[in-house]
Amino acid sequence: MHIRNVRLSGIIAAMLLATGCDSVFTGDSGFPIASPEVNVEVNVDGPQIDLTQDTTVEQTNDQEVVATQNPTQTQDAHVEHDAEGDADSDEDSDDDSDSDADSDDDSDPDSDDDSDDDCEDDSDCDDDETCDDGECVDDSACDPDDCDDGDLCTEDECDDGDCDHEPVECDDGDVCNPDTGDCVDCLTDEDCDDADACTDDTCDTTHACVSTPVDCNDALFCTGTESCDPVTGDCVSSGDPCAEGEVCDEGEDECGFFVFLSDLAPISASVGYGEFLADVGHCGNPGSVPLRLAGHVYSKGLFVHANSRVAYGVEGSYDRFSAVIGISDFILDPGSECPDDRAEEVNATFLVEIDGVEVFSQDMNALDDSFLVDVDITGAAELTLRTVAFGLRGIDSRHTIWADAQVW
């Protein structure tokens, strides 16, 4: 129980008077002066509470004084002092509740009750305790030095008697370098992924991320401009840079006007079987199928059954000739009018001549993919296209095609 605002001088004076002391002197502070030295303690139905805090009184007689006082409500107080002789005296007195107003002790009674759990730093706690969130915590169960796990990327501490290992927190997506404990951009290439499909992201030797744009340039003029698809990361081309009616010259990196040979009248034409056909094919009947090579259908071109020879007078008006060559894949189609179950034996040689001089030759089999021909004919007066069968079975099924044959 706390006793508030009790004027010590009044208590001490009452006790001295109760012992028979007929004179009490006071000093400048208002406290009684007597001898010998007296330490005052008060017991109020509970643990002993020192009200004097280092306050002493002196009185001349050698007696032990016992007095009773009642602040606000009646309580028992036991005051003791050491002397050469002992004397006991009990006295009951009533304290007016107004004595609180006269008290020189204005301190909060709760301030005398210090708790070990109430701290600001470690100095407020016992030797085996530390201050954690305002409470004194017993750390005797672990030694901070024993909590070191050898990992530079953890912060090790003794908390509530147990070792805690908190990962080092890095800002801005950085990662902890286990060799140094420092926060760095990256440890592996995966740490550098910027979610941009059009960059190659790598982690260099200094643990810094390097993002290099994907290079899509194929160095070809006739494929147009290449760029990276931001969704897939694939390189895509803008396509043929030439306008309609023009042809792309890769060798010269330029576009020019072209003419399909199927739109020109040849100066001579001969085939090994059937008819010379322009822009259509032959399978059972002339013109019954389109021009088709390796599954691709062409709207322009020449169908000639080997052995064949077709000549055009170009009179030096063009610089290049191009075409896609091969053997019609209708002979591979069992549902067509001209299937051949021995297509692997169907062969032909494609030749290009300029003014009677051979400038191109390519052997083809019916199972081969198509092939692109691109020949310089600058200054040529006559352009001749030939197909010659070779191998077994003579000219059977030699349905040779010059698709998209053109000059420009």
Side-chain angles (χ1 to χ4, degrees):
M1 176 176 180
H2 297 286
I3 300 177
R4 299 185 180 180
N5 301 324
V6 176
R7 186 177 295 275
L8 291 178
S9 59
I11 295 174
I12 295 170
M15 291 188 295
L16 292 178
L17 290 174
T19 64
C21 181
D22 57 0
S23 63
V24 178
F25 300 93
T26 61
D28 293 336
S29 62
F31 284 92
I33 300 174
S35 66
E37 181 174 338
V38 178
N39 290 324
V40 180
E41 297 180 348
V42 177
N43 284 333
V44 185
D45 295 336
Q48 192 176 70
I49 302 175
D50 187 357
L51 296 179
T52 62
Q53 303 288 328
D54 296 335
T55 301
T56 62
V57 296
E58 297 180 355
Q59 77 179 52
T60 57
N61 57 8
D62 300 329
Q63 300 179 13
E64 178 180 331
V65 180
V66 178
T68 301
Q69 119 178 11
N70 301 298
T72 305
Q73 60 181 354
T74 301
Q75 300 290 347
D76 293 333
H78 184 193
V79 182
E80 297 180 352
H81 72 85
D82 296 331
E84 296 178 358
D86 295 331
D88 294 334
S89 174
D90 293 333
E91 178 178 345
D92 292 333
S93 63
D94 293 332
D95 252 349
D96 194 321
S97 61
D98 293 338
S99 63
D100 289 345
D102 297 331
S103 174
D104 292 332
D105 184 4
D106 295 328
S107 62
D108 187 342
D110 292 338
S111 66
D112 291 334
D113 186 11
D114 293 332
S115 171
D116 286 341
D117 293 338
D118 188 9
C119 62
E120 294 183 358
D121 53 42
D122 292 349
S123 64
D124 294 334
C125 301
D126 293 342
D127 291 341
D128 292 334
E129 297 178 329
T130 58
C131 188
D132 185 5
D133 294 333
E135 293 185 0
C136 289
V137 177
D138 184 3
D139 284 340
S140 60
C142 63
D143 187 328
D145 292 337
D146 295 336
C147 292
D148 186 356
D149 60 2
D151 185 348
L152 296 178
C153 288
T154 60
E155 295 178 348
D156 310 316
E157 63 178 8
C158 187
D159 186 18
D160 288 342
D162 296 320
C163 289
D164 280 349
H165 309 285
E166 294 294 332
V168 171
E169 294 185 0
C170 296
D171 297 329
D172 302 325
D174 290 350
V175 294
C176 181
N177 184 353
D179 295 332
T180 64
D182 297 328
C183 289
V184 295
D185 286 348
C186 60
L187 297 177
T188 65
D189 291 346
E190 288 74 13
D191 295 331
C192 295
D193 187 0
D194 59 5
D196 185 346
C198 290
T199 60
D200 290 326
D201 308 314
T202 57
C203 182
D204 67 14
T205 56
T206 65
H207 300 291
C209 287
V210 179
S211 294
T212 305
V214 172
D215 184 8
C216 289
N217 186 9
D218 62 5
L220 296 176
F221 174 76
C222 291
T223 57
T225 302
E226 291 76 37
S227 60
C228 180
D229 186 327
V231 176
T232 65
D234 297 332
C235 290
V236 293
S237 172
S238 62
D240 189 343
C242 301
E244 185 176 357
E246 294 183 324
V247 65
C248 183
D249 186 346
E250 189 65 61
E252 298 296 329
D253 288 348
E254 64 182 13
C255 296
F257 288 97
F258 63 90
V259 176
F260 286 110
L261 293 185
S262 60
D263 292 333
L264 298 177
I267 57 177
S268 66
S270 64
V271 295
Y273 177 83
E275 304 176 28
F276 164 72
L277 298 173
D279 300 335
V280 293
H282 185 158
C283 182
N285 294 294
S288 60
V289 293
L291 303 174
R292 193 174 76 182
L293 294 174
H296 184 79
V297 175
Y298 296 86
S299 61
K300 305 292 288 182
L302 309 174
F303 180 93
V304 288
H305 195 295
N307 296 318
S308 69
R309 183 182 185 278
V310 183
Y312 290 91
V314 289
E315 306 300 335
S317 300
Y318 306 98
D319 296 327
R320 303 198 71 80
F321 161 75
S322 69
V324 178
I325 60 174
I327 297 174
S328 173
D329 65 4
F330 278 105
I331 70 168
L332 306 177
D333 184 356
S336 72
E337 295 295 326
C338 54
D340 192 319
D341 57 4
R342 297 165 59 190
E344 69 278 3
E345 299 177 354
V346 177
N347 304 291
T349 301
F350 289 73
L351 303 104
V352 178
E353 299 175 352
I354 297 176
D355 297 332
V357 178
E358 183 181 304
V359 294
F360 173 82
S361 176
Q362 179 68 40
D363 291 340
M364 301 290 291
N365 180 269
L367 301 180
D368 291 340
D369 201 353
S370 58
F371 187 87
L372 175 63
V373 181
D374 187 358
V375 178
D376 185 353
I377 61 171
T378 303
E382 184 175 304
L383 171 66
T384 302
L385 308 179
R386 296 174 55 207
T387 62
V388 179
F390 70 91
L392 303 175
R393 301 175 56 200
I395 64 171
D396 286 353
S397 300
R398 268 54 171 193
H399 298 179
T400 53
I401 295 175
W402 300 83
D404 277 350
Q406 56 194 273
V407 290
W408 69 95

